[in-house]
Amino acid sequence: MTSPTTPATRPWALTAEPPFPFQRDGAPALLVGGQVFNSASSSPKAIADSFAHVRRVGANVVLAPVSWALSEPAEGAFDFSLVDDMLAESRTNDLRLVLLWFGAFKNAASTYAPTWVRSDPDRFPRAVVEAKGLQAFTYEGATAKPVLSAFSADLREADARAFEALIRHLVDADPEGTVVMVQVENESGILSDSRDRNALAEAAWAEEVPTDLLAHVRATPAAGTPSRMLWEANGRVESGTWSQVFGDTPAAEEVFMAWTIATYVEHLAARGRAIADIPMYANAWLGPQPGQDTPGQWPSGGPASTVLDVWRAAAPSLSLLGPDIYVQDADAAMKPYATGIQPFFVPESQLRPAELVRAIGTYGAVGWSAYGLDAANPDGQLSATLTFIAGLEAEIAAASLRGALTAIVLEPGVEIENRSVDGVDIIARGARALLARMLLDAGVNIPHAELEVPAESLPHAQIAVPGETRPFALIAGTGDGGFLVIGRELTLDYFAADARVEIDAVQELIIDEGRVVNGRVLNGDERLMILPNDRVGAARIRLVRL
C-alpha cells in the first residue's frame, strides 16, 4: 500500500505551465472521445457494450461515471468491481479512461449518494432553498430530488473517505496508467436559489470572509473579476461578513457558494492526490447562458464563468476547470475557460465535430469529450474527425506545442477566414460555393441543392443530432513547409510574403478498418476538392516556394 505522504507516480502528467501538454511517459498526447451515458457504467454488460461503441467511433478516450452509491452501498464497505470492469474494457478496446466521481453532487443534486447518506438527514442535512424561478430538469409536480448541503462536515468527510478509497484502488488495480484523469463531483452547485439557507449555511453566511479569499481578491487587478468588482462596489472592506464584504445580492451569494463548494471539492482532490499523482478537475454547468442569467438558474457555486477565479483560489489541487457545452455558441462558451491560466479541456459537448476542431485548434485544448458518445453514429462526421485526430495524435500534439496548429469554422454568413501558420498565410473559403461560382464562370450552371450529410446520432438516440453542415478544418504545420489538414467543405489557399507558393503534392489520407492510411495522390481536378463536401477527409499538403 502506498503511503499517503508519498503519492504514487503515474505515466500520465499534465504540465502546470503553458502550453499545458498532456504527456504519457514524456510524449505529448491529446484526449479525443466522449462520455458514455450516466447509467452505462452501472453494469458489466453496459460497460462492455458502451466502451466498444466508443472505440468503434474512433475515440482514444472514454469518460465514465463512478457512482458513490454503487461503490459504498454500506458505510465502510467498498466495492470497486465496476471500476475493474471499466479498466478491463478500456484496455480491451485500447482506450484511455477518465473516471467521473459522482459523489455527493451530480447536476446540482445528490442522487448518486448512498442510501445510508441520503436517509440520515440529521447527520447529512439537506440544502434549503427558496424557490425563485423555474428549475432546469424538472417540472411541476415532479418527485423531489435529494440535495445535500456542502456545509456538512460529516458529508465532506464521508465523501472524501470514499474518494480516497477509489484512488487507493487505482494505485493497486491500474499501475500501468489506463486512467488519465479523475473528475471530482459533477456540475456542482445549488439550483432554484443563489445560496443554501439551512442552519449551517446561515451560520457560515454570518461569519467573516476567509482571509485566503480576501487576499486573493485584493491581489486581483481592479475590475478584473466579478468577485473583485463586488468587493470594490462594497467599499473595499478589509474584513467582515460575506454581506459586508461582497454585498447582499445573488452575485455575492454565488461567491459565497463557490468558495464553499470549491473548498469541499479541494478537500477531496487534495486527499486523492496525496495518494496518487493523478490530474483532477471539476466540470461546470455553464452560467450565465441564454435563458439562464441569474445564479440559481445555473447551479450557483459551481465553477461557472462568473466565479472561476474563486474556484482556482479555493481548489489548487485541481489541474483545471472545464465547461460542459450544450449551447449553440460554443466559441463564446470556451473563451472564459481557455485563457491560458490553466489547461483547457472540454468534459462534455454536443456531438459537433466542428467544435472538437475549434477546441483543439483555436483554443489549444488538451482534450475534448462529447456526451453520449455511445449513441454516436459510426458513419457520422464526428466519428471520422475523432478517428483522424486520434490516428494522427502525435503529429497534431507536436504542432500544438510548436504553435503551429489552428482551426477554421465557417459560421453561417461567413465566406472567408484567414490564418497564419509556420510563416504561411492561409485563406479558407467555402468549397461548394466557390466551386459553383467557378463552374458558372465556365458556363456551367448547377442547380442548388441542400447538402445531405449523415446524422451524428444513431436512429434510436433519445435526442437526434443532425449532421454538421458548417465547413471546418483543423490545420497543423508539419515543420517541413507542409500541412496536415482534417475537415470538410473548405478550400485552402496558401501565400507567403517572401516567395511565390505553389502546391507541390497532395497525399490523401483515408480511414481503413479504423486506421488512418494513405489514399490517393491527388492532382488535376481532384485538387479542387482536397477536403470533401459531404464527409470529413484529411490530406497532407506539401508546398514549394519559388
Side-chain angles (χ1 to χ4, degrees), residues 14-26:
L14 185 55
T15 58
E17 299 294 332
F20 306 113
F22 240 123
Q23 295 178 327
R24 181 180 174 90
D25 296 326

Side-chain angles (χ1 to χ4, degrees), residues 319-342:
S319 297
L320 61 91
L321 305 170
D324 292 350
I325 304 175
Y326 297 99
V327 295
Q328 283 300 109
D329 189 359
D331 186 38
M334 293 182 194
K335 285 178 181 176
Y337 294 84
T339 58
I341 297 173
Q342 288 182 323

Side-chain angles (χ1 to χ4, degrees), residues 91-403:
R91 293 162 188 156
T92 296
N93 291 285
D94 194 22
L95 289 169
R96 300 146 182 179
L97 177 60
V98 175
L99 293 177
L100 316 177
W101 177 245
F102 284 10
F105 304 111
K106 197 278 181 193
N107 291 135
S110 302
T111 58
Y112 284 83
T115 301
W116 59 268
V117 171
R118 289 180 284 107
S119 62
D120 190 351
D122 292 331
R123 183 179 172 195
F124 305 108
R126 301 296 172 89
V128 175
V129 298
E130 295 177 358
K132 296 184 176 180
L134 181 64
Q135 183 174 315
F137 297 126
T138 190
Y139 49 90
E140 187 176 352
T143 302
K145 291 181 181 178
V147 181
L148 297 167
S149 177
F151 292 90
S152 168
D154 284 343
L155 177 67
R156 186 179 72 170
E157 180 60 25
D159 202 349
R161 282 198 303 267
F163 188 71
E164 282 183 316
L166 169 64
I167 303 304
R168 286 197 189 94
H169 184 79
L170 292 180
V171 172
D172 296 332
D174 184 38
E176 59 266 56
T178 300
V179 173
V180 182
M181 286 198 297
V182 175
Q183 177 183 292
V184 189
E185 309 297 342
N186 183 87
E187 291 188 354
S188 54
I190 289 289
L191 283 173
S192 185
D193 199 350
S194 47
R195 72 174 176 91
D196 188 351
R197 300 178 189 276
N198 74 7
L200 294 172
E202 291 291 351
W205 177 251
E207 292 175 354
E208 291 206 348
V209 173
T211 56
D212 288 351
L213 176 56
L214 270 173
H216 160 72
V217 172
R218 281 195 298 268
T220 303
T225 63
S227 60
R228 170 78 189 207
M229 289 186 285
L230 287 168
W231 180 64
E232 291 172 348
N234 277 274
R236 300 164 60 98
V237 177
E238 291 298 321
S239 65
T241 66
W242 289 89
S243 60
Q244 289 169 340
V245 172
F246 294 111
D248 196 8
T249 65
E253 292 175 334
E254 184 186 24
V255 172
F256 168 68
M257 289 303 303
W259 183 262
T260 300
I261 296 172
T263 53
Y264 180 110
V265 169
E266 167 65 14
H267 188 74
L268 273 66
R271 286 171 62 163
R273 296 199 71 167
I275 297 167
D277 187 17
I278 182 170
M280 297 183 185
Y281 72 94
N283 65 328
W285 176 326
L286 289 181
Q289 61 174 288
Q292 299 178 14
D293 53 16
T294 303
Q297 293 178 324
W298 70 86
S300 181
S305 61
T306 45
V307 288
L308 287 176
D309 69 302
V310 176
W311 265 79
R312 287 168 181 150
S317 296
L318 297 179
S319 297
L320 61 91
L321 305 170
D324 292 350
I325 304 175
Y326 297 99
V327 295
Q328 283 300 109
D329 189 359
D331 186 38
M334 293 182 194
K335 285 178 181 176
Y337 294 84
T339 58
I341 297 173
Q342 288 182 323
F344 179 51
F345 174 66
V346 178
E348 296 182 29
S349 180
Q350 294 171 308
L351 304 175
R352 302 174 73 189
E355 302 311 338
L356 160 57
V357 162
R358 192 198 305 272
I360 291 175
T362 299
Y363 292 111
V366 299
W368 180 93
S369 164
Y371 177 73
L373 199 61
D374 38 347
N377 182 2
D379 297 319
Q381 295 178 100
L382 176 59
S383 177
T385 307
L386 287 169
T387 304
F388 278 123
I389 294 176
L392 300 164
E393 171 190 25
E395 197 168 343
I396 295 170
S400 181
L401 286 178
R402 292 193 305 106

